[in-house]
């Protein structure tokens, strides 16, 4: 079983994936909110492994990001978002490995 730990933001560059913890704070008596990102990790695309996680009773729209030292289970809100992320990440990884 998986537990929601934090909201992650993924920043994809041509040679690395940067993961950050996203926090949202509300401003009292205002309709605005403030979003902040705190650096969590950076993984070279050549060393990143992406694996699909099948939907189950406990997880929906999940995939695994595995770096050399850590791994993260990520979930998206929709299946379409998951497919998009998997496709983009696999394409970027292949481009980084092929040197394009």
């Amino acid at each position: 079983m998986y537990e929601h730990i934090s909201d992650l933001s993924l920043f994809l560059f041509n040679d690395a994936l940067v993961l950050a913890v996203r926090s949202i704070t509300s401003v009292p008596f205002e309709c605005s909110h403030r979003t902040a990102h705190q650096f969590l990790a950076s993984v070279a695309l050549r060393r990143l492994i992406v694996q699909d996680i099948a939907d189950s009773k406990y997880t929906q729209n999940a995939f695994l990001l595995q770096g050399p030292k850590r791994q993260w289970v990520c979930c998206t809100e929709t299946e379409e978002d998951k497919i998009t992320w998997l496709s983009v990440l696999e394409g970027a990884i292949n481009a980084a490995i092929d040197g394009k």
Side-chain angles (χ1 to χ4, degrees):
M1 180 158 53
Y2 297 98
E3 176 185 2
H4 179 264
I5 302 296
S6 61
D7 289 329
L8 289 181
S9 292
L10 306 177
F11 299 92
L12 181 60
F13 297 90
N14 62 342
D15 61 344
L17 178 69
V18 175
L19 295 93
V21 176
R22 182 181 63 168
S23 61
I24 300 173
T25 54
S26 299
V27 179
F29 308 109
E30 292 185 19
C31 293
S32 65
H33 62 274
R34 197 172 295 162
T35 302
H37 293 88
Q38 181 178 359
F39 175 81
L40 181 63
S42 176
V43 181
L45 292 179
R46 293 175 184 252
R47 303 189 71 191
L48 181 66
I49 298 170
V50 179
Q51 294 178 332
D52 185 17
I53 298 175
D55 288 350
S56 71
K57 180 179 176 181
Y58 302 104
T59 60
Q60 295 282 320
N61 308 320
F63 58 94
L64 177 71
L65 298 176
Q66 186 172 349
K69 296 181 182 178
R70 292 189 59 189
Q71 62 182 14
W72 301 269
V73 175
C74 302
C75 296
T76 62
E77 290 186 15
T78 66
E79 184 177 6
E80 183 178 288
D81 288 344
K82 173 186 167 178
I83 292 168
T84 300
W85 269 108
L86 289 175
S87 175
V88 169
L89 286 168
E90 288 172 2
I93 291 168
N94 289 336
I97 290 171
D98 293 342
K100 295 181 181 179

